[in-house]
Amino acid sequence: MIVLKAPQEKLLSALQAVAGIVERRHTLPILANVLLRKTGPQIEFTTSDLEIQVRTQAELGGDAANFATTVGARKLIDILRTLPADQVVSLSATQNKLTLQGGKSRFTLQTLPADDFPLVNEAAEFGPAFSVPQKTLKSLINQVHFAMAVHDIRYYLNGILFVAEGHTLTLVATDGHRLALAQATLETEIPKQEVILPRKTVLELQRLLKDEKADKPAKADKAEKTEDGEAAASGDNAPIEMRFAGNQAKFSFSGMEFVTKLVEGKFPDYNRVIPKNHKNAVVLGRAPLLASLQRAAILTSEKFKGVRVNIEPGSLRIASSNAEQEEAKEELEIDYGGDAIEIGFNVTYLMDALANMSQDMIRLELQDTNSSVLITVPEQAGFKYVVMPMRI
């Protein structure tokens, strides 16, 4: 039977929307597949890694009969990417294989039974639903994601804390050496929630959610392409609907359903980490500071990414060195009249924050050589970034 017959870009868009969580190597071979479930002209695409499940639907023609199978997601996407975007492609099913045909190209792919596909066991009951604009949530994720831990034994740090209460939505991430916090005020009141979203879920939401760049008219049946070539579904201005259960979260947006397991554990008290009443503060340009740090970082050692920062009235100096006795020195003129402070930092932690911000000016608040620095944005109270000092 003909499972579907549609333009290459329409099929590729649906597959790319769900394929982000698929691992090329997995202990269960079927998890490298995408589940295709056809009901009349409607086809449902589902992927899973046992903890996250992503699903979307599309009308892609084909025979009217119902059908279900699984096929290698990455192989199918790789083949489609090599075909012309406007070419009509078809998927035909025969016994335990799928045949993809486009023009004079023909590919036969192995399938595995749909009944063997391990869907995520969804919670029996989810809490009340609430909605947040997609660009708001994506903006918050962009401001904190880089501070998440990677494979930390303290598993609750391998993700972000999601706190919703009243009209405020707060996202917090920390790896124990730095902490990023971003807040947004919402028009509608939302029920109190406090959960930890896993790292993989955060990165996948960041990939799929729309921001201001995507807020433009979209053709009804044509997916737009993001800057990195990934497909983006239409409905840019639509909100994301969220629901939480005891250990699961469900997100619905842009015609997609995203179910994920939550991280269990107690997130650190972030309010205690954020410095208060630092007596020394300076406002300076974000881009010049980032450029100076990037240059200084070149002569830091691979394992020891430390830079020395000297702040004194009128100037901010950055210095780095390595085992080859090479040195880098940078100096910026600043409007500062506070105490002279020499402090060391992991330069990567500073660059991560500055590179993920778009504002022209930032504010540094310091106390002394041994205290964390607080980076904020003038006239934007919703962003805070804390970096612990290091000995150099």
Side-chain angles (χ1 to χ4, degrees), residues 115-164:
D115 291 342
D116 294 343
F117 193 81
L119 296 171
V120 170
N121 291 323
E122 294 188 29
E125 290 187 16
F126 283 86
F130 62 95
S131 297
V132 174
Q134 285 191 51
K135 63 182 181 181
T136 299
L137 182 57
K138 180 161 187 174
S139 174
L140 294 178
I141 291 175
N142 287 344
Q143 293 177 73
V144 304
H145 74 94
F146 54 86
M148 290 187 294
V150 182
H151 303 308
D152 197 295
I153 191 170
R154 298 163 294 180
Y155 53 89
Y156 48 84
L157 300 184
N158 301 316
I160 60 172
L161 178 67
F162 180 105
V163 183

Side-chain angles (χ1 to χ4, degrees), residues 188-257:
T188 56
E189 189 170 356
I190 48 183
K192 184 174 182 178
Q193 305 283 348
E194 186 168 328
V195 299
I196 303 174
L197 299 178
R199 177 183 176 84
K200 188 173 180 179
T201 296
V202 172
L203 298 179
E204 191 62 14
L205 285 173
Q206 186 182 30
R207 182 181 78 91
L208 294 171
L209 291 170
K210 310 298 174 296
D211 56 15
E212 290 86 350
K213 293 179 182 178
D215 287 337
K216 52 187 177 183
K219 294 181 181 180
D221 293 325
K222 187 173 182 179
E224 304 216 350
K225 296 288 182 73
T226 58
E227 292 178 0
D228 61 357
E230 295 292 334
S234 60
D236 299 338
N237 293 313
I240 175 171
E241 183 182 275
M242 310 182 196
R243 301 181 72 189
F244 295 97
N247 64 341
Q248 278 187 347
K250 181 184 287 188
F251 305 100
S252 302
F253 58 99
S254 301
M256 300 185 64
E257 182 184 87

Side-chain angles (χ1 to χ4, degrees), residues 31-270:
L31 290 178
N33 288 11
V34 56
L35 171 63
L36 308 180
R37 192 175 296 281
K38 180 177 174 65
T39 307
Q42 195 89 9
I43 295 187
E44 187 177 81
F45 298 84
T46 306
T47 56
S48 168
D49 70 354
L50 299 181
E51 294 189 350
I52 304 172
Q53 180 175 292
V54 186
R55 177 179 290 147
T56 190
Q57 293 182 337
E59 287 196 15
L60 298 173
D63 294 341
N66 295 346
F67 176 77
T69 191
T70 77
V71 65
R74 296 292 183 186
K75 287 180 183 176
L76 193 53
I77 287 175
D78 289 346
I79 292 169
L80 287 168
R81 279 176 170 160
T82 65
L83 297 173
D86 57 351
Q87 186 170 82
V88 174
V89 298
S90 65
L91 269 183
S92 304
T94 53
Q95 295 181 343
N96 61 340
K97 288 186 170 63
L98 275 182
T99 300
L100 171 66
Q101 191 159 353
K104 294 185 178 181
S105 301
R106 184 184 179 93
F107 307 86
T108 302
L109 301 172
Q110 187 72 39
T111 62
L112 291 171
D115 291 342
D116 294 343
F117 193 81
L119 296 171
V120 170
N121 291 323
E122 294 188 29
E125 290 187 16
F126 283 86
F130 62 95
S131 297
V132 174
Q134 285 191 51
K135 63 182 181 181
T136 299
L137 182 57
K138 180 161 187 174
S139 174
L140 294 178
I141 291 175
N142 287 344
Q143 293 177 73
V144 304
H145 74 94
F146 54 86
M148 290 187 294
V150 182
H151 303 308
D152 197 295
I153 191 170
R154 298 163 294 180
Y155 53 89
Y156 48 84
L157 300 184
N158 301 316
I160 60 172
L161 178 67
F162 180 105
V163 183
E165 185 172 9
H167 291 274
T168 303
L169 178 59
T170 305
L171 268 60
V172 187
T174 180
D175 61 5
H177 302 286
R178 44 148 171 205
L179 179 145
L181 177 149
Q183 283 184 331
T185 301
L186 308 175
E187 294 181 0
T188 56
E189 189 170 356
I190 48 183
K192 184 174 182 178
Q193 305 283 348
E194 186 168 328
V195 299
I196 303 174
L197 299 178
R199 177 183 176 84
K200 188 173 180 179
T201 296
V202 172
L203 298 179
E204 191 62 14
L205 285 173
Q206 186 182 30
R207 182 181 78 91
L208 294 171
L209 291 170
K210 310 298 174 296
D211 56 15
E212 290 86 350
K213 293 179 182 178
D215 287 337
K216 52 187 177 183
K219 294 181 181 180
D221 293 325
K222 187 173 182 179
E224 304 216 350
K225 296 288 182 73
T226 58
E227 292 178 0
D228 61 357
E230 295 292 334
S234 60
D236 299 338
N237 293 313
I240 175 171
E241 183 182 275
M242 310 182 196
R243 301 181 72 189
F244 295 97
N247 64 341
Q248 278 187 347
K250 181 184 287 188
F251 305 100
S252 302
F253 58 99
S254 301
M256 300 185 64
E257 182 184 87
F258 191 109
V259 179
T260 176
K261 183 179 179 180
L262 298 173
V263 178
E264 297 181 11
K266 179 65 175 175
F267 200 83
D269 184 354
Y270 57 90

Side-chain angles (χ1 to χ4, degrees), residues 3 41 58 76 143 149 199 243 263 272 306 312 326 328 336 347 362:
V3 181
L76 193 53
Q143 293 177 73
R199 177 183 176 84
R243 301 181 72 189
V263 178
R272 292 181 59 187
E312 58 187 42
E326 297 171 324
Y336 175 71
V347 69
I362 63 162

